[in-house]
Amino acid sequence: MAGAMAAKANGEACGQCGGRTYLIERRGELATARVCACSVDCPMCGGRGHRLVQKEGTFSAKVGPRTYEVLEPCVCTLRRTRVALYNDVQMPGVMAHASFDNYRPFNESQDRGRGVAMHFANQYVKGATNKGFVLSGPVGTGKTHLLAATLGHLVLEMGVKSRYVEISLLYATIRRGFQDGKSGGEIIGPLSEVEVLAIDELGKGRGSPFEMETLDELIARRYNAGRTTLFATNYSLEPERKGARSSAPSGYRTTDDARSAMKDAELLRERVGERIYSRLCEMCTFVELPRDTPDRRRTRQEMDAPPPMGGMRGPGR
């Protein structure tokens, strides 16, 4: 946490939390935060949760400036509040350790994506209308990582109430709610009102009337209220389809190749419709990662894989 929230009383950084005073860990499907052991016992307030702070103010021109004391929440209270807020974000457990520092861009576009997310997080103004961003790119290129890093900063460093939702899981949650007698609006309501919402996998799904109506209602509510929304999608942000390249190689193509090419060519505006896409243009900065951006998960797996047996040669061969 920024400033005093991250500083230990003795000026030494904790070996576990690095001076942040909190830890984020994976517990089952979700990432959860807790106060680090180094900061459980607060030396500033002695566990009371508040402290007296001296301030100076002028209440009359005749008396002039006066010094007075006011009771304020201690940093340990703010810390516990922000940790509780983070645990309401519903961040996937696999993203527990995601940060801007450990995001490794492979190309200039990924570096720009990290820059846009960092600038948004660092320049965010609580309670104001802040323009969000849309990250578009192939699977495994770190889009969810950047969403997690952004929300982690907003919640734990600034106390901004935020939520994360993967769109297909939201659809499934609403369908289950119908069986319990709940309306879609009851589930969408809290997501509409949260200060910052991150929607992952935008465009995913069957595109049924139920899905489109749900997405339209959620985005319309947030758009009308001027609330900030972040998005990640596998679909292109290009305004229209590009013509076939004349230099494209001809020859035999497998069915899988054809399906992959069709998916790569799909545009977000075609997946969500003109109405939603138009609002995204106003609500967000667009960042598109090239289709040839490496899959970070596959690259890591290939780097960790042992060399093939046939590739090992003994001396003299």
Side-chain angles (χ1 to χ4, degrees), residues 255-275:
T255 302
D256 288 342
D257 289 338
R259 287 175 180 169
S260 178
M262 288 178 63
K263 183 174 181 180
D264 287 346
E266 284 190 275
L267 305 181
L268 182 63
R269 66 185 297 176
E270 296 174 350
R271 298 291 303 180
V272 302
E274 293 293 337
R275 172 185 167 92

Side-chain angles (χ1 to χ4, degrees), residues 14-314:
C14 170
Q16 275 194 298
C17 69
R20 295 182 304 172
T21 72
Y22 61 85
L23 297 168
I24 304 176
E25 303 166 327
R26 180 175 184 173
R27 292 189 181 178
E29 295 182 1
L30 299 177
T32 61
R34 64 179 175 86
V35 177
C36 183
C38 72
S39 301
V40 171
D41 298 322
C42 180
M44 301 182 70
C45 69
R48 292 185 297 272
H50 56 269
R51 60 196 183 102
L52 287 172
V53 179
Q54 281 196 344
K55 291 192 174 183
E56 185 178 283
T58 301
F59 301 98
S60 75
K62 184 177 180 179
V63 176
R66 298 292 296 270
T67 300
Y68 62 98
E69 290 186 329
V70 62
L71 197 64
E72 288 189 347
C74 181
V75 291
C76 66
T77 298
L78 296 177
R79 182 185 304 120
R80 288 194 298 269
T81 300
R82 294 180 183 185
V83 163
L85 280 178
Y86 183 86
N87 292 335
D88 289 335
V89 171
Q90 302 290 293
M91 187 63 62
V94 71
M95 291 295 151
H97 301 294
S99 69
F100 293 125
D101 290 338
N102 61 23
Y103 181 82
R104 299 290 180 263
F106 283 104
N107 54 40
E108 186 176 334
S109 295
Q110 280 185 299
D111 195 46
R112 177 174 178 261
R114 179 177 62 177
V116 168
M118 287 181 65
H119 179 79
F120 169 85
N122 291 325
Q123 301 300 318
Y124 185 85
V125 179
K126 286 186 68 174
T129 300
N130 298 266
K131 193 170 186 178
F133 58 79
V134 182
L135 298 173
S136 164
V139 297
T141 50
K143 302 183 298 296
T144 305
H145 184 123
L146 290 177
L147 289 182
T150 301
L151 294 188
H153 178 91
L154 293 180
V155 176
L156 291 165
E157 303 295 338
M158 302 178 64
V160 177
K161 188 174 183 180
S162 307
R163 277 290 305 274
Y164 167 93
V165 63
E166 200 269 279
I167 196 65
S168 63
L169 296 181
L170 174 61
Y171 298 149
T173 299
I174 295 175
R175 290 190 180 99
R176 287 195 300 271
F178 290 157
Q179 299 174 1
D180 298 331
K182 295 181 180 179
S183 67
E186 289 180 76
I187 299 172
I188 288 178
L191 298 177
S192 304
E193 297 169 3
V194 72
E195 186 167 345
V196 176
L197 175 66
I199 299 178
D200 206 353
E201 300 286 358
L202 181 64
K204 184 178 180 181
R206 294 172 295 178
S208 66
F210 158 74
E211 292 178 351
M212 297 303 290
E213 289 168 9
T214 298
L215 183 62
D216 184 69
E217 180 181 352
L218 176 56
I219 292 180
R221 284 191 181 191
R222 296 193 61 80
Y223 172 83
N224 292 333
R227 296 195 173 96
T228 305
T229 313
L230 314 177
F231 302 89
T233 180
N234 294 335
Y235 298 97
S236 175
L237 300 175
E238 294 173 358
E240 59 186 16
R241 290 180 182 271
K242 293 182 178 179
R245 297 179 181 177
S246 59
S247 59
S250 59
Y252 175 76
R253 299 179 70 192
T254 66
T255 302
D256 288 342
D257 289 338
R259 287 175 180 169
S260 178
M262 288 178 63
K263 183 174 181 180
D264 287 346
E266 284 190 275
L267 305 181
L268 182 63
R269 66 185 297 176
E270 296 174 350
R271 298 291 303 180
V272 302
E274 293 293 337
R275 172 185 167 92
I276 292 176
Y277 183 82
S278 174
R279 287 179 169 173
L280 295 181
C281 292
E282 183 176 339
M283 296 168 69
C284 300
T285 298
F286 283 11
V287 180
E288 180 141 22
L289 308 179
R291 294 288 115 186
D292 59 355
T293 303
D295 183 331
R296 295 154 59 93
R297 292 185 286 265
R298 288 182 58 181
T299 301
R300 188 180 302 114
Q301 174 67 23
E302 291 164 358
M303 291 177 64
D304 293 342
M309 294 298 293
M312 300 179 65
R313 296 187 177 183

